[in-house]
Amino acid sequence: MASRTGQNIHKRGSKVQKSEAFFREIVESQAEPVCRFSVDGSIVYANPAFCKLSGMELKVLIGRSILHLSTDTEILKSLPILSYENASTVIESSIRAPGNEARRMQWHCTAFFDAANHISGIQIIGKDMEDQRRAEEALRRSEARYKRLTDNIPELIYR
């Protein structure tokens, strides 16, 4: 009987390890930056995309405050918004990318809770908004040039 129980525990442990490896591969292969930190802002996990965005290796990021990466404190300011009833929010914040370039990011922030329903950690998944911002600005400039052109042509233009 004891050996059968031991075998069952071993099989379950093996299944858990395979499941954990499967989900770790999913998170680590994401193109979006993923970071998890404690309520005091200390980073406890970052995927390779987050490491690339920050320009730091994982071993340097772990234990570091999220405030060292953000050029503003919007991520930590959003913490009071998060609660057991409202476990996620979307915010925008700047982060210093390699070369000290500020990148505007949209972050999906999700709170995780302990048994007493107190926040035990926050996970953020980022979306780089800088390229979209630049494209929108280029479109505005193009539209302004077109308007100046059409406003200054003496002939009538119609469609």
Side-chain angles (χ1 to χ4, degrees):
M1 178 67 99
S3 67
R4 190 180 316 163
T5 303
Q7 287 174 345
N8 287 341
I9 291 171
H10 181 15
K11 284 181 184 178
R12 286 185 201 154
S14 178
K15 286 181 182 180
V16 168
Q17 286 177 339
K18 287 179 183 176
S19 177
E20 181 183 340
F22 176 74
F23 286 105
R24 182 174 294 279
E25 286 176 3
I26 291 171
V27 173
E28 294 202 354
S29 66
Q30 291 297 307
E32 294 84 14
V34 177
C35 179
R36 194 159 182 178
F37 54 93
S38 62
V39 289
D40 70 355
S42 300
I43 297 172
V44 295
Y45 172 80
N47 73 344
F50 191 89
C51 293
K52 182 178 178 183
L53 176 67
S54 69
M56 295 181 203
E57 294 181 27
L58 181 61
K59 62 184 176 186
V60 175
L61 284 171
I62 299 298
R64 189 180 196 109
S65 172
I66 195 77
L67 284 174
H68 286 107
L69 303 176
S70 183
T71 56
D72 58 37
T73 58
E74 292 305 313
I75 292 172
L76 293 181
K77 284 180 187 175
S78 72
L79 294 183
I81 296 170
L82 298 173
S83 65
Y84 189 73
E85 295 79 23
N86 184 26
S88 68
T89 189
V90 176
I91 60 159
E92 287 197 15
S93 179
S94 293
I95 188 168
R96 284 190 294 276
N100 214 22
E101 176 190 10
R103 305 272 319 165
R104 195 74 186 158
M105 300 291 294
Q106 184 180 70
W107 298 102
H108 182 90
C109 306
T110 305
F112 294 92
F113 302 90
D114 61 18
N117 295 336
H118 296 111
I119 295 176
S120 61
I122 309 287
Q123 178 171 292
I124 57 175
I125 301 173
K127 179 180 177 187
D128 192 335
M129 302 300 288
E130 197 64 29
D131 292 337
Q132 179 180 340
R133 185 193 66 75
R134 289 178 183 166
E136 289 170 354
E137 180 60 33
L139 178 61
R140 278 192 291 277
R141 285 192 309 265
S142 176
E143 288 173 344
R145 280 193 308 269
Y146 177 76
K147 184 173 179 354
R148 281 192 311 271
L149 177 67
T150 57
D151 287 350
N152 292 319
I153 293 178
E155 286 82 23
L156 177 65
I157 295 179
Y158 68 94
R159 275 202 270 193

